[in-house]
Amino acid sequence: MTTRRFSAILAAGGSGSRFGGGMNKVYVELNGQPVIGYSLDKLLAHPLIAEVIVVYRAEDEEVLMPILAEKGKNSSIPLLAVPGGDTRRASVCQGLKLAREELVLVHDAARPFWKPEWVDKLSEVLREVSGASVALPSPDTVKLTDENGLVLSTTDRSRTWLVQTPQAFHRDALMKAHETLPADAVITDDCGMLERLGLPVRLIPGSPENRKLTVPEDLHLLPAE
């Protein structure tokens, strides 16, 4: 069986407005290194990662580049960086344009404690579907409402998942979604783009530890590696 490798796109371009403090949350120090460093270490060490593309805010360039220089100096894997766009979708698209592999992995730099073995599982799943993501089965009942909070329906909890990253795709499928869907389409994750085109997406179990850093209080909830 042929081993296929990924171009990894690490999304680090968020404003971090909810985190506060005037600093992009992915550069906050956590247990001795910046949050983004955890994902860089895992990606650069993984045998299925052929290259890493960091998508960043232009105003963060001065803080990011020394981190990339330090992480990349002992790695044979290309470590690239490109300024993002005005939205997460636009930013991922910028990274996608640089990707050279058949498969792409998209991960949020604000999720430092993901598990490298998920990359292997996502790779296997992509032999059958166009896109895949790690996710958590919902521990709670989820209700859909209208804009006034009136309940429209209740999802079947046994089939309701909370989506995380990393997410993985056939590069051509994700690029087609970027080129086809209207710029104003409301889509909150990359898998959603494939869903809009009717392409199959599969979920694999993630972990509660794969928490996204959103507000300062989250620093106290993240596990120590």
Side-chain angles (χ1 to χ4, degrees):
M1 185 178 294
T2 303
T3 299
R4 300 176 301 171
R5 302 178 75 199
F6 287 94
S7 293
I9 299 172
L10 188 59
S15 66
S17 57
R18 284 179 290 177
F19 193 82
M23 174 182 284
N24 187 333
K25 57 196 173 186
V26 304
Y27 304 114
V28 172
E29 187 170 296
L30 178 63
N31 299 328
Q33 74 163 322
V35 168
I36 192 175
Y38 290 87
S39 290
L40 287 171
D41 287 343
K42 294 173 186 178
L43 291 170
L44 292 172
H46 200 289
L48 292 186
I49 301 301
E51 61 182 355
V52 177
I53 304 164
V54 180
V55 185
Y56 66 95
R57 294 191 309 173
E59 55 264 46
D60 294 330
E61 185 168 328
E62 288 189 8
V63 65
L64 173 64
M65 292 308 167
I67 296 172
L68 298 187
E70 176 64 24
K71 295 297 183 182
K73 67 182 182 182
N74 295 319
S75 174
S76 61
I77 296 176
L79 180 53
L80 312 174
V82 61
D86 294 333
T87 63
R88 187 183 188 281
R89 172 180 170 181
S91 293
V92 170
C93 189
Q94 290 298 102
L96 194 58
K97 291 175 182 177
L98 294 181
R100 296 177 294 182
E101 298 296 317
E102 176 188 352
L103 305 180
V104 293
L105 188 82
V106 181
H107 183 60
D108 294 323
R111 294 184 189 270
F113 293 124
W114 57 281
K115 300 181 184 300
E117 57 262 34
W118 293 340
V119 177
D120 302 85
K121 294 178 181 178
L122 291 168
S123 176
E124 288 303 311
V125 169
L126 288 186
R127 296 185 183 278
E128 301 177 356
V129 295
S130 299
S133 178
V134 296
L136 284 178
S138 177
D140 301 311
T141 297
V142 177
K143 295 184 182 291
L144 303 178
T145 73
D146 65 12
E147 62 275 10
N148 297 312
L150 293 176
V151 173
L152 300 176
S153 64
T154 301
T155 67
D156 179 350
R157 189 170 68 179
S158 68
R159 299 171 63 187
T160 302
W161 295 66
L162 308 178
V163 175
Q164 303 177 329
T165 67
Q167 299 186 355
F169 308 92
H170 290 268
R171 181 190 178 280
D172 290 348
L174 186 56
M175 181 60 81
K176 179 181 179 181
H178 277 277
E179 294 172 346
T180 302
L181 295 176
D184 59 352
V186 180
I187 301 169
T188 56
D189 79 313
D190 299 284
C191 283
M193 299 187 68
L194 269 64
E195 295 163 33
R196 291 284 290 269
L197 296 186
L199 297 174
V201 173
R202 183 171 295 167
L203 303 179
I204 67 170
S207 166
E209 293 183 352
N210 188 27
R211 186 183 182 91
K212 187 175 183 180
L213 181 60
T214 303
V215 295
E217 290 74 19
D218 291 337
L219 287 170
H220 304 293
L221 300 175
L222 294 171
E225 281 205 331

